[in-house]
Structures are given as structure tokens and as C-alpha cells.
């Protein structure tokens, strides 16, 4: 074969192999930090903390510009100070999180106003605060993430059961709308932006997650909360290939990663794993430590 023809043939092969190479995207998810900024002994377990999570992300090459970072909520403990609350959500922003849900621990007398002010990050599509004239939403109903020519829609939900554990004063200020009605309305064909993939984040139970999933088998549903059961290392929580996932974590020590592959313009989950971070192999992220210093937060 003529050398020039051979070179052209090789170049054509390279061009077509690059053209048909499937594009991958990672969804990185977590839940229930429960106020753990530094490593600490929480019960009988050594907890990793958000500062070391920052180092873990760098270690495995997490990039907020190409990956999608989300958390189902319960970021605070039940006695988080105003300064600690600000430090936690600023740390989430520094790590590059795109959306953080709202659980019962996050709804305290001194923290609700911070959640409302931090509405670019903390969201709940079905949770509202009562006002004198009208109700106010916690963030945007839908977070839109663009990746190349695709749009991912993230909807955060708070289970109505979170109200049961709140004191009457806080409970009287809040309204939780029906989750299934909320999702159906937001994901209807009349959405303002065409969505390639819907990601539903739920602070709630597996049973509630399955009800949300039943609305549309193309949803990717990720849940977290107090009643989670132990799962396999894949984080997949249901049979029959349902796209329902959880870290089943109560201290923020586990990170779930879904790898999505674009197969003929349709995104599919091609791998799923949950990793428990090793506290002994991680150092505290300097960026997060600077935030702790800014708010005068010390190890507990």
C-alpha cells in the first residue's frame, strides 16, 4: 500500500474512533454531613469531616466544571451555630457543589435565614417558608447544569416527614408540598429548558424515592436521610435495574459516584460505586481550613 494512502487511512480511523467515542460524565453525591467539618470521634466511629473530603476530591480528580456535585442535605448537626452554618455552606461552595438539599437538621431557629440567603446552593422544590403576605421558596425549583450540548435538571425534595421532628415554633413557619405533584409539574413537557437527564435529590426514605422513580423510569433518584438501610458497594438500592441510589450514610463519610455515558444521545448509568473515605490517608484541605479560620471554627 502506498505510504501516503496508508497515512490517510490511519487518520480517517483516528477521526472516526474519536467521533464515536462515548462521552462520560460523573455524578458525585453525598448526604448527611451532620455538622462534621473536622475529623472527630462521633459515637464510636472516627468521622472524616468536610475538610478531608476536599482532599479526597483532589485525590480522585473531581472537577466541578465537568462533574456534577450534589448532596441530599442534613448538612448541620442539631446545634449548629450561625458561624458554623455559614462555614459549612461556604465550604460546599468552595468544593464546587452545584446543589445541596435540606433536611430536618438544617431547619433551626438560627439557620433558616442562612438557607434562604444561600439560595444559589441550598434548594428544596417543595419546602416553603410562610410569610406575612406570601410564602418564600428555599432556592430554585430546578438547578440547570450545562455539559456540552446537554442540560441536566436537578430537583431537590424534602420529605414531609421532616416536619415531624421539628419543634412547633419552626414547624409553624414551614409548608411542605406533595413531592410527587411537585416533580410531575416541574418535569412536564412544558419545562422552560429542554432537559436531557433529570436528577431527583431527596432527603427522605427509600420508599419515598421509589414513589418518585415510578413517575418516570428515566429519572435518576438519589436519596439520603435517617432511615436509610445498609446498601451494597454500588449504592444501588432497588432491584429490577431501577435508577435509585444512596450512600446510606449518616456522618458524611461516604461518597457515591455514578458514571453516565452518552449512548446515541441518551445518557445511561454505566457504573455505580460508593466509597468510604479513609481518614488515615487524607489530610485537611487548606481551602476548607481557611474557611474554618475565617469563622473561628475549631475542632470539637
Amino acid at each position: 500500500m502506498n505510504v501516503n494512502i496508508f497515512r490517510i487511512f490511519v487518520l480517517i480511523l483516528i477521526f472516526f474512533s474519536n467521533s464515536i467515542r462515548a462521552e462520560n460524565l460523573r455524578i458525585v453525591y453525598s448526604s448527611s454531613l451532620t455538622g462534621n467539618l473536622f475529623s472527630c470521634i462521633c459515637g464510636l466511629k472516627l468521622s472524616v469531616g468536610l475538610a478531608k473530603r476536599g482532599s479526597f476530591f483532589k485525590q480522585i480528580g473531581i472537577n466541578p466544571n465537568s462533574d456534577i456535585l450534589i448532596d441530599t442535605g442534613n448538612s448541620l448537626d442539631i446545634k449548629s451555630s450561625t458561624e458554623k452554618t455559614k462555614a459549612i455552606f461556604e465550604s460546599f461552595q468552595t468544593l464546587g457543589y452545584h446543589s445541596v438539599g435540606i433536611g430536618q437538621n438544617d431547619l433551626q431557629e438560627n439557620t433558616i435565614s442562612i438557607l434562604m440567603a444561600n439560595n444559589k446552593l441550598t434548594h428544596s422544590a417543595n419546602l416553603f417558608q410562610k410569610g406575612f403576605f406570601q410564602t418564600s421558596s428555599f432556592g430554585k425549583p430546578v438547578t440547570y447544569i450545562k455539559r456540552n450540548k446537554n442540560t441536566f435538571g436537578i430537583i431537590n425534595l424534602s420529605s414531609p416527614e421532616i416536619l415531624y421532628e421539628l419543634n412547633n415554633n419552626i414547624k409553624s413557619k414551614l409548608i411542605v408540598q406533595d413531592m410527587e405533584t411537585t416533580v410531575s409539574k416541574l418535569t412536564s413537557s412544558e419545562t422552560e429548558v429542554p432537559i436531557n437527564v433529570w436528577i431527583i435529590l431527596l432527603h427522605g426514605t427509600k420508599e419515598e424515592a421509589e414513589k418518585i422513580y415510578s413517575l418516570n423510569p428515566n429519572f435518576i433518584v438519589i436519596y439520603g436521610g435517617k432511615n436509610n438501610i445498609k446498601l451494597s458497594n454500588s449504592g444501588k438500592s432497588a432491584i429490577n435495574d431501577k435508577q435509585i441510589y444512596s450512600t446510606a450514610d449518616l456522618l458524611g463519610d461516604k461518597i457515591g459516584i455514578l458514571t453516565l455515558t452518552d449512548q446515541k444521545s441518551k445518557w445511561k448509568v454505566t457504573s455505580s460505586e460508593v466509597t468510604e473515605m479513609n481518614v488515615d490517608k487524607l489530610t485537611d484541605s487548606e481551602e476548607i481550613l481557611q474557611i474554618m479560620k475565617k469563622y473561628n471554627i475549631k475542632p470539637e
Side-chain angles (χ1 to χ4, degrees):
M1 183 184 291
N2 182 284
V3 174
N4 288 331
I5 294 177
F6 177 77
R7 286 175 178 171
I8 292 171
F9 179 72
V10 170
L11 288 172
I12 291 172
L13 282 178
I14 292 173
F15 173 80
F16 278 105
S17 65
N18 286 336
S19 299
I20 64 174
R21 185 180 297 154
E23 182 182 354
N24 288 338
L25 176 144
R26 290 187 295 184
I27 298 174
V28 181
Y29 64 96
S30 53
S31 63
S32 301
L33 178 68
T34 324
N36 293 317
L37 287 167
F38 294 99
S39 301
C40 70
I41 299 294
C42 304
L44 299 176
K45 187 178 185 300
L46 181 61
S47 180
V48 174
L50 200 57
K52 282 186 168 58
R53 186 187 295 185
S55 295
F56 178 74
F57 282 177
K58 287 184 178 178
Q59 189 180 91
I60 64 172
I62 298 299
N63 182 355
N65 294 318
S66 54
D67 301 316
I68 295 177
L69 278 67
I70 49 184
D71 190 279
T72 63
N74 242 26
S75 305
L76 310 179
D77 56 43
I78 57 174
K79 56 182 184 349
S80 290
S81 67
T82 299
E83 295 303 296
K84 185 176 183 181
T85 299
K86 291 179 180 178
I88 286 173
F89 291 122
E90 188 170 324
S91 295
F92 273 122
Q93 288 178 312
T94 298
L95 292 176
Y97 272 80
H98 298 100
S99 189
V100 175
I102 298 174
Q104 67 270 13
N105 283 3
D106 306 321
L107 297 166
Q108 303 169 42
E109 294 281 3
N110 64 313
T111 62
I112 289 179
S113 60
I114 298 173
L115 293 174
M116 299 293 287
N118 201 40
N119 59 15
K120 289 185 178 179
L121 178 67
T122 52
H123 307 285
S124 177
N126 67 319
L127 180 66
F128 299 86
Q129 184 179 21
K130 296 177 185 176
F132 190 76
F133 293 108
Q134 62 182 12
T135 59
S136 302
S137 60
F138 285 84
K140 299 171 289 186
V142 180
T143 300
Y144 300 103
I145 305 292
K146 293 287 290 184
R147 291 290 179 264
N148 295 327
K149 295 180 180 179
N150 298 280
T151 303
F152 294 76
I154 302 171
I155 298 175
N156 280 15
L157 299 171
S158 300
S159 167
E161 293 187 7
I162 67 172
L163 292 186
Y164 303 159
E165 299 185 36
L166 301 176
N167 68 49
N168 289 333
N169 187 41
I170 297 174
K171 190 186 303 184
S172 66
K173 299 176 182 178
L174 301 171
I175 299 172
V176 183
Q177 294 183 345
D178 180 75
M179 294 189 295
E180 291 161 88
T181 302
T182 299
V183 171
S184 295
K185 181 179 179 181
L186 292 175
T187 60
S188 70
S189 58
E190 292 153 8
T191 56
E192 58 180 272
V193 178
I195 301 297
N196 298 91
V197 179
W198 282 106
I199 304 167
I200 315 296
L201 291 185
L202 166 67
H203 181 81
T205 65
K206 175 186 173 182
E207 291 71 27
E208 290 172 319
E210 288 179 328
K211 287 181 181 179
I212 299 301
Y213 177 82
S214 68
L215 298 174
N216 188 329
N218 292 318
F219 286 164
I220 296 174
V221 183
I222 298 170
Y223 71 97
K226 284 191 173 181
N227 299 321
N228 294 335
I229 59 174
K230 186 175 181 180
L231 303 173
S232 68
N233 291 336
S234 71
K236 204 162 190 177
S237 62
I239 58 174
N240 298 328
D241 205 33
K242 294 180 180 178
Q243 296 187 108
I244 304 174
Y245 306 91
S246 177
T247 63
D249 190 12
L250 298 178
L251 295 172
D253 288 342
K254 296 179 181 178
I255 299 297
I257 300 177
L258 303 179
T259 300
L260 276 64
T261 303
D262 187 1
Q263 299 179 352
K264 297 180 180 178
S265 300
K266 186 174 182 180
W267 291 89
K268 291 187 178 181
V269 177
T270 50
S271 72
S272 168
E273 63 177 316
V274 171
T275 300
E276 183 159 6
M277 292 174 283
N278 189 328
V279 67
D280 296 324
K281 294 184 178 180
L282 296 168
T283 58
D284 289 323
S285 165
E286 188 58 37
E287 292 174 305
I288 306 302
L289 290 180
Q290 286 300 317
I291 295 172
M292 303 305 114
K293 184 177 179 181
K294 172 182 173 181
Y295 290 102
N296 196 29
I297 308 296
K298 295 181 171 53
E300 299 175 345

